[in-house]
Amino acid sequence: MYPDDVKYTPQHEWARPHGETVRIGITAYAQEALGDIVYASLPAVGTDVTAGASIGELESTKTWSDVYAPVSGRIVAVNDALDAQPELLNSDPYGDGWIAEVEPAEAGGLDQLLDAEQYRQLVETER
Amino acid sequence: MQCRLSPAEVAGDALASVRMIASAAAAAAGPPLYHSPLYDRHVGLGAKMADFGGWEMPIEYPDGGVLKEHAAVRQAVGIFDVSHLGKGVVRGRGARDFVNATLTNDLARIAPGQAQYTLCCDDATGGVVDDLIAYLRSDDEVFLVPNAANTAGVLRRLTAAAPAGVEVANLHRSLGVLAVQGPRSAEVLERLGLPTGHDYMSFVSSDWGGEQVIVCRSGYTGEHGYELLPHWDSTGRLWDALLAAAAPLGGRPAGLGARDTLRTEMGYPLHGQDLSLDITPVQARSGWAVGWDKPRFWGRDALVAERERGAARLLWGLAALDRGIPRPHMVVTAAAGEQAGEPVGEVTSGTFSPTLRKGIGLALLRRGVEPGAEVRIDVRGRPSTLRVVRPPFVPASTR
């Protein structure tokens, strides 16, 4: 539920170092809260993003949610598989359901984020 | 991620699929929520729970989700706990005549042992207090199933109007309601030894292990199905038996999230969204559930007058032509012609159709906006185009 190889935002995104880039997605708690996700609107490759700003939107059968960038930088890859298979966000949020890869604008962005234990405590409070 | 709810969900009649907000809302609302007799079973299954008309009910189950539960009902069978629905009885000499002089549909169209969809309207305005099912038992007994949130209001109006000798009783927590819906629903009931062969919208009283269960051929999904009314205390045992019988047939428990996508595909209105005190049966195109030839029913004068002059707005279906999903309270604008860009109505229900894999909805549209027309909505800054259609979106197979 809270893998410790990723860092977390209070808005329920995760970020994981991936070579020179940072791969990002939404947490298991986020996908459970949304329910079955049917559309993923993702940023275009090359877009500059700012930590905390919306970079896309996920829509489920009954609701929707913005996705916020965990770190600042440039989008260098997006998970095109989500277009045909948005259900990957539900079934494998930390793996095949990743959303995008960001080339960080500066080093150390991940250090600002929550670790697994801090995030777990946040979720327990929200429940 | 920041979950957002549509306005209808904030209003509380909602399929709030977001647990953190649903639980916060529940905590903020004063009175405690009622529990179905299956509450412990739902929690044990790990269901996502939310407030439905004052009842804490399952939205979806952990191994399911709206899409899987929806598909089970369309392709096999789903078992729903809808015990939050109201139950009431009007009985005593002349009960049938009294109900027929108040609710809209004509009980002369059915015989004892049959049920009908009907409306309780405000006498002055013709606005819909509630839509409900009336089960005709005899000239002296009519059983009613209103919506959870409206039960007290409907029964209060009936009680106030009842003539001497006619009694109105609230049985909300005397009976459970389980819906068994889908092409394999009859097989499930057969495995329990329950009757299945009766006509659509008819009901029989049956003995199940020494306990009485009313079995009605009805539902809110568009599939062949049954609604079972067991005593409150035997509802759990019946639920367990139904789930055990359904599992080998590809059946599963289904929550109220799937119930909403299923009914929306049929174009069935939901009170609080597509029907309300501000929406009349004429506007909702529910005139088929009105006994126009009856001398008396609540709202008759207002509704006859509106029908004669023509309703200013009508409830139609919307089918997305792109990736937009209509949501309640979105403004609908004309897509073409002289009025392009002008508001022509408002979305009352909207969702993603799991069967069609696109957005669908119901909307109250200004008279003159007819099926075939293209209209627009604004989906959080993105324009989306939809076609006005006559529901159902998916063919019904109720019979």
Side-chain angles (χ1 to χ4, degrees), chain A residues 29-47:
Chain A
Y29 174 71
Q31 68 79 22
E32 188 202 329
L34 275 166
D36 288 334
I37 296 163
V38 296
Y39 291 135
S41 303
L42 306 181
V45 170
T47 308

Side-chain angles (χ1 to χ4, degrees), chain A residues 11 13 29-30 32-33 36 38-40 57 59-66 68 83 126-127, chain B residues 1-4 9 15 17-20 48 65-67 260 323 325 327 351-352 357-358 380 382:
Chain A
Q11 292 81 33
E13 288 88 14
Y29 174 71
E32 188 202 329
D36 288 334
V38 296
Y39 291 135
E57 185 189 273
E59 188 150 16
S60 66
T61 50
K62 271 317 278 189
T63 187
W64 66 90
S65 168
D66 281 317
Y68 299 101
D83 200 50
E126 281 197 10
R127 279 186 204 274
Chain B
M1 191 198 89
Q2 171 106 39
C3 294
R4 291 186 185 159
E9 290 173 325
L15 296 164
S17 59
V18 180
R19 178 196 278 170
M20 53 188 154
K48 199 182 285 184
V66 170
L67 298 180
D260 192 57
R323 284 165 58 116
I325 301 178
R327 303 290 186 183
T351 188
F352 177 80
R357 311 290 308 172
K358 65 179 183 186
R380 301 175 292 284
R382 302 183 300 274

Side-chain angles (χ1 to χ4, degrees), chain B residues 116-389:
Chain B
Q116 80 182 173
Y117 177 81
T118 187
L119 301 156
C120 175
C121 289
D122 181 81
D123 197 28
T125 68
V128 180
V129 175
D130 197 19
D131 61 336
L132 57 169
I133 304 289
Y135 296 71
L136 181 61
R137 302 249 241 196
S138 71
D139 284 351
D140 299 329
E141 186 170 339
V142 182
F143 185 82
L144 301 173
V145 175
N147 283 291
N150 300 326
T151 302
V154 169
L155 297 183
R156 193 184 320 117
R157 284 173 189 249
L158 288 169
T159 302
V166 172
E167 171 207 22
V168 180
N170 188 339
L171 305 178
H172 209 146
R173 285 187 284 166
S174 302
L175 297 167
V177 188
L178 302 180
V180 183
Q181 302 283 304
R184 306 198 74 172
S185 54
E187 290 172 71
V188 174
L189 267 64
E190 280 158 13
R191 287 178 184 217
L192 270 66
L194 291 168
T196 60
H198 44 304
D199 286 342
Y200 183 58
M201 291 306 277
S202 71
F203 62 98
V204 293
S205 231
S206 179
D207 178 89
W208 184 70
E211 292 163 83
Q212 191 199 39
V213 178
I214 298 167
V215 180
C216 188
R217 271 272 285 109
S218 55
Y220 197 45
T221 64
E223 293 299 325
H224 184 104
Y226 302 85
E227 289 175 307
L228 313 183
L229 291 98
H231 287 293
W232 187 265
D233 292 334
S234 46
T235 307
R237 213 161 63 79
L238 182 59
W239 166 265
D240 295 342
L242 290 168
L243 284 188
L249 302 173
R252 56 167 60 245
L256 300 185
R259 191 165 183 260
D260 192 57
T261 53
L262 289 157
R263 72 93 190 168
T264 305
E265 286 186 343
M266 288 302 119
Y268 295 159
L270 173 66
H271 194 277
Q273 292 183 198
D274 317 297
L275 294 171
S276 76
L277 268 176
D278 297 322
I279 303 170
T280 67
V282 181
Q283 295 163 19
R285 296 192 308 107
S286 298
W288 61 272
V290 177
W292 293 106
D293 296 335
K294 295 197 299 182
R296 279 200 307 149
F297 58 87
W298 286 337
R300 187 179 188 280
D301 292 350
L303 295 175
V304 166
E306 185 181 35
R307 190 167 74 137
E308 281 173 5
R309 70 174 179 266
R313 53 182 192 169
L314 291 169
L315 188 70
W316 292 110
L318 300 178
L321 299 175
D322 51 33
R323 284 165 58 116
I325 301 178
R327 303 290 186 183
H329 303 294
M330 284 181 173
V331 173
V332 180
T333 56
E338 286 175 20
Q339 297 182 333
E342 281 183 34
V344 293
E346 182 179 316
V347 177
T348 51
S349 280
T351 188
F352 177 80
S353 162
T355 303
L356 302 178
R357 311 290 308 172
K358 65 179 183 186
I360 59 169
L362 299 174
L364 278 169
L365 301 175
R366 182 194 296 171
R367 179 162 51 157
V369 183
E370 302 276 335
E374 286 188 12
V375 293
R376 290 228 167 81
I377 54 174
D378 176 89
V379 181
R380 301 175 292 284
R382 302 183 300 274
S384 173
T385 308
L386 310 96
R387 190 175 306 287
V388 179
V389 299

Side-chain angles (χ1 to χ4, degrees), chain B residues 34-49 55-61 78-85 87 172-180 208 228-243 252-256:
Chain B
Y34 290 116
H35 285 169
S36 133
L38 305 181
Y39 175 79
D40 291 341
R41 283 172 169 81
H42 299 315
V43 171
L45 287 169
K48 199 182 285 184
M49 307 290 287
W55 291 65
E56 192 174 1
M57 298 298 291
I59 294 181
E60 62 180 41
Y61 296 90
I79 317 288
F80 299 83
D81 176 18
V82 284
S83 297
H84 62 303
L85 292 174
K87 307 103 200 169
H172 209 146
R173 285 187 284 166
S174 302
L175 297 167
V177 188
L178 302 180
V180 183
W208 184 70
L228 313 183
L229 291 98
H231 287 293
W232 187 265
D233 292 334
S234 46
T235 307
R237 213 161 63 79
L238 182 59
W239 166 265
D240 295 342
L242 290 168
L243 284 188
R252 56 167 60 245
L256 300 185

Side-chain angles (χ1 to χ4, degrees), chain A residues 1-2 8-9 17 20-21 30 41 47 53 59 67 70 73 80 97 99 102 107:
Chain A
M1 187 78 181
Y2 309 105
Y8 299 85
T9 72
E20 296 299 303
T21 71
S41 303
T47 308
E59 188 150 16
V67 179
D80 292 326
I99 289 176
V102 180

